[in-house]
Amino acid sequence: MSESKLPSGIDRVVGQRIRWRRRELKLSQEQLGELLHLTFQQVQKYEKGVNRVSAGRLFEIASVMGVNVNYFYDGAENMLDDGRLTVAEDGPGTGSPAAPVLDAETLDLIAAFRKIEDDSLRKSLLNTVRAAASAFESKQDED
C-alpha cells in the first residue's frame, strides 16, 4: 500500500475521538457497528487508527453519535507545526506518528471530568490531580 494511503497521526486522533464519544454514550463497539451497519471489528480498526475513516463515513458516525464532524478533529491542530506532524513516532524508522493510547480508566476520568460544569470545582480537581502526580514524581526521583 502506498504511504499516502496509510493512516496518519490525524487518523489516529479521529479514531480516538470516535472511541471517546462511543464511551461517553456508553455504547459497545458492537452496538455502534450495528448503528452504522459495520462489524465491531471495523469500528475497532477505526478507533485504533488502523483504517482511515472516509469523509462520508465520518459524517455518518457524527450523525449517529450526535456531534458535529469537527468534534473528531478537536486537538488535531496541536499535532501540527507548519503543516507537519510533531508527535512522537511509533518506533524507529516507521515514520508513523502515534496518538496517545488511553486506557479505560483514563477515558472514564476524562468523561466524568467533562461533566463537571462548575469551573472552580474543575480547576480545584485538576490542581489536586497535578499535585498528586507531582508528589508521585518526586517520590520516584528519590528512589
Side-chain angles (χ1 to χ4, degrees), residues 44-117:
Q44 189 174 59
K45 288 178 182 180
Y46 286 155
E47 289 182 0
K48 289 183 176 185
V50 173
N51 286 5
R52 288 183 148 184
V53 182
S54 71
R57 177 69 72 194
L58 191 59
F59 185 83
E60 287 177 49
I61 293 169
S63 296
V64 164
M65 295 181 137
V67 293
N68 188 300
V69 173
N70 291 339
Y71 169 88
F72 299 106
Y73 294 100
D74 284 352
E77 64 276 0
N78 297 332
M79 297 179 63
L80 299 173
D81 180 27
D82 297 328
R84 297 178 56 179
L85 290 170
T86 59
V87 294
E89 295 190 357
D90 285 335
T94 63
S96 172
V101 177
L102 304 177
D103 60 21
E105 189 176 57
T106 304
L107 291 171
D108 288 343
L109 180 63
I110 292 168
F113 186 81
R114 290 182 59 179
K115 290 178 184 175
I116 299 169
E117 294 181 10

Side-chain angles (χ1 to χ4, degrees), residues 8 10 21 23 31 64 73-74 81 110 132 137:
S8 69
I10 301 300
R21 183 65 180 156
R23 290 181 53 88
Q31 290 168 324
V64 164
Y73 294 100
D74 284 352
D81 180 27
I110 292 168
E137 285 178 348

